[in-house]
Amino acid sequence: MVEANPLKDSFGRKIEYLRLSVTDRCDLRCFYCIPKGFKDFSTPEHWLTFDEIERIIAIFGQLGVSKLRLTGGEPLVRKNLPELVQRLGQLEGIEDLSLSTNATQLVKYADTLKQNGVSRINVSLDTLNPQRFQDITGGNLAQVLEGLQAAKQAGFHPIKINMVVMKGINDDEVSSMVDYCATNDFTLRFIETMPMGETGQDASQNYISLQKIKAQLAEKYDLIPTVMGRGAGPARYFQIQGSNLKIGFITPLSQHFCETCNRIRLSVEGTLYLCLGQDDKIELRDTLRQGINDTELRQLILQAIALKPEKHEFDRKPEQVIRIMSMSGG
């Protein structure tokens, strides 16, 4: 039974959103996420099994977590992921099951994911230029665009495009991405680079404040403040007057949103991270395998929530988070 009082941290924030990484591996190599030549990925014996994942998420659902997002790495490279999706979507308390993806596998999986209970998807897409896409990710842009069309045909709505805006790399494509998303009825979200691990810290030289991007767009469009509803997350949304396009700005550095943070992250190895920009964490996998019962697991989760820090320190201590983004679950 879902408990009447949802999880709250020591700062009074309701914790109702869990981002679950099902793999730290990916079929792309975005330079700001995974270091070039990186091979130190987790191995299958260290991954949470589907049974272990289901058990943990069931407890979270009972405690008041209602939103669950599957992330990676690239979640669709995890074998038999649709089976896990189906199992998680049936758990009590989980009302919103979503997926973050790079879209390379959506031609194959979009219909099955929709049928098995995924309601929304977010797609990482930083450029519409094929050569630039290859430079950033090592992948094929056409494969991603085909995946997005497959998601539309499967009935996903909204489909959110996440664009990390980087100075001197893709900041000249902001208007083109606006046009692309307006044409395809996608929601567009701009994201600031974050100094996560070695790659993120290297990419910080390409940081550009989204306040500047928003000001540029405001010169061209009438931006009307709006809300997104379910799954809005940390973005601040605006609608372009005279269109259906909604644009979100995710600004962890220039205008942080820590005071309303309602999310935590569970890695593929069972590490529960309480903040993307801090190293507060509790390990769940080993305790599961040592025979912890559900009552003890529930108490361990409650103890973890009490550790959630007030805010990140990307601006003051960018060097303190050394784990790469794909290890954290996005």
Side-chain angles (χ1 to χ4, degrees):
M1 178 181 295
V2 177
E3 299 184 18
N5 296 320
L7 292 171
K8 284 189 178 182
D9 67 10
S10 57
F11 301 96
R13 296 171 295 198
K14 285 185 181 180
I15 308 303
E16 54 188 2
Y17 179 14
L18 176 63
R19 297 177 67 95
L20 166 66
S21 175
V22 295
T23 180
D24 60 344
R25 304 187 183 204
C26 188
D27 52 352
L28 297 181
R29 287 293 181 273
C30 298
F31 71 83
Y32 54 79
C33 183
I34 300 177
K36 187 175 183 180
F38 181 83
K39 296 182 179 178
D40 193 22
F41 294 105
S42 178
T43 51
E45 65 268 22
H46 295 133
W47 300 349
L48 290 174
T49 66
F50 283 5
D51 287 344
E52 289 168 338
I53 289 173
E54 184 176 4
R55 185 179 171 200
I56 293 171
I57 301 305
I59 298 293
F60 272 110
Q62 293 164 15
L63 287 171
V65 167
S66 60
K67 300 176 183 178
L68 178 64
R69 175 171 292 277
L70 305 183
T71 70
E74 169 48 50
L76 293 177
V77 302
R78 177 80 184 251
K79 188 176 179 180
N80 298 323
L81 186 72
E83 175 197 337
L84 179 63
V85 167
Q86 187 175 46
R87 292 168 65 171
L88 297 179
Q90 295 173 352
L91 293 176
E92 183 181 15
I94 303 302
E95 300 173 357
D96 182 35
L97 181 58
S98 57
L99 177 83
S100 289
T101 177
N102 60 27
T104 60
Q105 306 293 318
L106 283 180
V107 168
K108 180 178 180 181
Y109 288 114
D111 286 328
T112 303
L113 291 169
K114 191 72 169 63
Q115 293 164 9
N116 285 6
V118 174
S119 57
R120 297 177 294 104
I121 61 171
N122 289 5
V123 174
S124 299
L125 180 61
D126 297 330
T127 177
L128 296 170
N129 179 301
Q131 182 58 56
R132 188 176 285 179
F133 184 86
Q134 186 177 45
D135 293 341
I136 293 173
T137 72
N140 183 344
L141 177 63
Q143 187 179 11
V144 171
L145 299 183
E146 289 169 6
L148 279 164
Q149 293 308 311
K152 280 184 68 174
Q153 292 170 12
F156 283 104
H157 187 79
I159 295 172
K160 296 177 182 176
I161 302 298
N162 289 342
M163 179 184 184
V164 177
V165 184
M166 295 167 282
K167 181 174 61 177
I169 294 179
N170 66 348
D171 54 327
D172 60 336
E173 288 192 71
V174 166
S175 291
S176 334
M177 195 66 78
V178 167
D179 293 340
Y180 172 75
C181 290
T183 299
N184 287 279
D185 195 25
F186 297 149
T187 296
L188 174 58
R189 307 200 307 175
F190 296 117
I191 303 175
E192 291 177 340
T193 56
M194 289 180 283
M196 286 286 296
E198 177 186 345
T199 49
Q201 290 167 28
D202 287 346
S204 64
Q205 63 185 331
N206 303 116
Y207 169 79
I208 183 170
S209 169
L210 288 186
Q211 308 308 319
K212 180 177 180 180
I213 299 300
K214 185 166 67 174
Q216 291 174 355
L217 290 173
E219 292 178 0
K220 185 175 181 180
Y221 308 103
D222 289 328
L223 300 179
I224 311 300
T226 188
V227 293
M228 192 65 198
R230 173 176 287 186
R236 295 174 172 90
Y237 281 96
F238 295 82
Q239 185 163 344
I240 291 181
Q241 190 171 33
S243 81
N244 294 322
L245 178 63
K246 291 184 178 180
I247 301 176
F249 297 86
I250 299 178
T251 54
L253 296 184
S254 68
Q255 190 179 10
H256 73 74
F257 35 82
C258 299
E259 69 278 1
T260 59
C261 182
N262 65 347
R263 65 196 62 81
I264 51 179
R265 291 168 170 83
L266 181 63
S267 80
V268 67
E269 291 190 329
T271 303
L272 189 64
Y273 290 107
L274 286 309
C275 175
L276 187 61
Q278 298 278 14
D279 206 30
D280 303 270
K281 62 187 177 183
I282 280 188
E283 308 290 347
L284 299 182
R285 182 197 62 208
D286 290 345
T287 55
L288 287 179
R289 295 180 183 179
Q290 291 164 4
I292 190 173
N293 63 40
D294 283 356
T295 299
E296 293 167 333
L297 177 58
R298 178 185 181 278
Q299 287 304 120
L300 187 59
I301 289 172
L302 290 172
Q303 291 170 22
I305 298 304
L307 297 176
K308 185 172 173 64
E310 182 179 11
K311 58 185 178 179
H312 68 69
E313 295 179 293
F314 283 139
D315 50 346
R316 296 194 304 113
K317 300 177 181 178
E319 73 286 347
Q320 72 179 3
V321 180
I322 61 172
R323 64 184 184 271
I324 63 175
M325 183 69 81
S326 69
M327 291 175 60
S328 304

